[in-house]
Amino acid sequence: MSVISNIKEFWSRFEDEQNDLLQALKNKDYTALSEVLEGLDQECYAISGAHMFVEDTFEQPEMTFDAGPNKTTQLICQQMKKLAPSEIKKVWIINDTLPPLSQKAIEAQLQIKDEIYTLFDFTAFYTCDDQAQSFSIRLYCPGFSLIENPEHKREMCIYLVELAIGQNMMESFVSFVDYIDQPENGVDFCNLTELYDVIEEAVQKGKWKDYKHPTDIYSVYQPHQDFAHDSLRKDMKIIFTTNPSLIEESLGNKADVLLDLKAKDGEYGYVYFSNLFNGKDDAIFRQELSRKLDAAFAPLHCVKVIGGAIGKSFSYIDLIVFDKDLFLKAFSQIQKQLHQQVELHYRAFSEDI
């Protein structure tokens, strides 16, 4: 099995259940809808780590894979959207991460003691750092003073902000979320349901870098180590990645992220090759090769480039592998095509632990 084969099985089951889902949505038969959706949700969670929900929007029915911040889950859900059969895409709007102000968000209710609150009952106090291109947000609700556990309130706020602005905006532009028990004076504020528009206006006005998907956001690392090393993954001078947890764990010889993907029938690995120029041209060559590999693999949906590194002796292109057999066949052809220019090798991250 592979991530790809799991996804195809999911969509096959979805096609079998689709008419029942659509009928239940049309009839607003939420008991029938829950029964049909339960099995699909369990399968979706097993193969990706995301729960799913469906909504009957004004334009057409909509399904959402609520991936959360887990990058492995986000990457798999991205593939699920790409691999959805064309006939399903004609019928459904498909979100591979939580969108802003979904119907689920608008209808969400939070009970504190004997009172029921919705997103409309929360006020967002915010500060905007134009230089850092980020927002700090503190939520106020009259019921917060009745909750004693501060961590519970903080987690609640993070969840509510995600519901209001969506996963992509949350990761792109929000650096801090917390609660306050009393309104703050002298701080900009808005209703939580208006926060998306406030941030979007700042992004457009400041011409901030706008990300289309959470897996497009890169982090940069400079490992603290002895650069006398010239062995694999020990010579790295700079690392750039869309999956910080993977890099942090690999530098610490931990494997939780690797095991998470392995349980879903995938693998994290990297292509590596000896530096050719011993200078800045190595970075340029690695970047160009990374783009070529990503473009070559894209039609097969078997692998995606998620970052890389420049080292003293080697350069690296980091990958998430959705179908290892298909990837290795394609990679073998690329090795042959490029062997006169560069000698490429592949290695799983798990081999370094």
Side-chain angles (χ1 to χ4, degrees), residues 330-346:
F331 183 60
S332 177
Q333 294 301 312
I334 292 173
Q335 284 176 305
K336 293 175 182 177
Q337 293 170 11
L338 298 179
H339 78 278
Q340 291 186 334
Q341 185 179 10
V342 62
E343 186 175 339
L344 300 178
H345 308 274
Y346 173 75

Side-chain angles (χ1 to χ4, degrees), residues 8 33 122 146 193 196 201 245 291-292 329 346 351:
K8 290 179 177 178
L33 181 65
F122 288 82
L146 302 175
T193 59
Y196 178 90
E201 182 179 353
S245 295
R291 289 173 179 166
K292 289 179 181 178
K329 289 178 182 177
Y346 173 75
E351 296 179 60

Side-chain angles (χ1 to χ4, degrees), residues 69-238:
N70 184 298
K71 292 301 173 184
T72 298
T73 297
Q74 289 178 1
L75 287 160
I76 294 175
C77 288
Q78 189 178 53
Q79 291 301 99
M80 292 178 73
K81 179 178 179 177
K82 288 179 181 178
L83 292 172
S86 58
E87 292 303 311
I88 290 179
K89 289 180 178 178
K90 290 177 183 177
V91 176
W92 295 83
I93 298 171
I94 303 175
N95 303 307
D96 54 10
T97 59
L98 186 68
L101 279 181
S102 65
Q103 193 64 31
K104 175 185 176 181
I106 293 172
E107 295 176 356
Q109 293 185 338
L110 178 69
Q111 182 168 352
I112 302 176
K113 300 298 183 180
D114 296 326
E115 296 293 327
I116 299 294
Y117 299 90
T118 70
L119 263 63
F120 296 93
D121 297 311
F122 288 82
T123 302
F125 290 82
Y126 61 87
T127 55
C128 174
D129 187 334
D130 195 58
Q131 184 173 357
Q133 299 188 358
S134 67
F135 273 73
S136 295
I137 299 162
R138 291 171 174 81
L139 291 191
Y140 167 71
C141 171
F144 273 171
S145 60
L146 302 175
I147 302 175
E148 295 181 359
N149 188 329
E151 192 58 34
H152 185 200
K153 286 191 279 190
R154 190 171 294 110
E155 291 174 356
M156 187 185 305
C157 290
I158 292 172
Y159 175 68
L160 292 171
V161 171
E162 285 177 351
L163 283 177
I165 68 175
Q167 192 67 42
N168 186 52
M169 181 172 280
M170 180 76 168
E171 294 192 31
S172 299
F173 306 119
V174 176
S175 60
F176 178 82
V177 177
D178 209 339
Y179 69 91
I180 49 175
D181 287 326
Q182 296 295 330
E184 290 186 320
N185 294 322
V187 179
D188 290 328
F189 65 91
C190 66
N191 187 272
L192 180 54
T193 59
E194 300 169 341
L195 183 58
Y196 178 90
D197 292 332
V198 169
I199 298 176
E200 182 65 19
E201 182 179 353
V203 172
Q204 297 299 324
K205 183 178 179 181
K207 297 181 179 180
W208 295 3
K209 182 174 177 59
D210 198 359
Y211 301 95
K212 302 301 181 185
H213 195 271
T215 59
D216 296 333
I217 303 170
Y218 275 84
S219 299
V220 179
Y221 293 80
Q222 290 181 293
H224 298 288
Q225 57 188 29
D226 180 3
F227 293 124
H229 278 290
D230 58 7
S231 57
L232 283 177
R233 305 299 289 199
K234 301 296 184 183
D235 68 330
M236 297 184 297
K237 295 182 287 187
I238 186 167

Side-chain angles (χ1 to χ4, degrees), residues 1-14 39-52 65 70 72-81 83 260-266 320 322:
M1 299 293 289
S2 69
V3 174
I4 299 303
S5 61
N6 293 338
I7 290 173
K8 290 179 177 178
E9 284 191 8
F10 170 83
W11 286 122
S12 177
R13 176 171 179 174
F14 187 91
L40 289 169
D41 178 62
Q42 289 176 353
E43 186 168 342
C44 178
Y45 187 79
I47 68 176
S48 70
H51 287 291
M52 67 175 293
F65 303 124
N70 184 298
T72 298
T73 297
Q74 289 178 1
L75 287 160
I76 294 175
C77 288
Q78 189 178 53
Q79 291 301 99
M80 292 178 73
K81 179 178 179 177
L83 292 172
D260 180 31
L261 180 55
K262 183 179 179 181
K264 297 175 175 62
D265 297 318
I320 180 171
F322 300 111

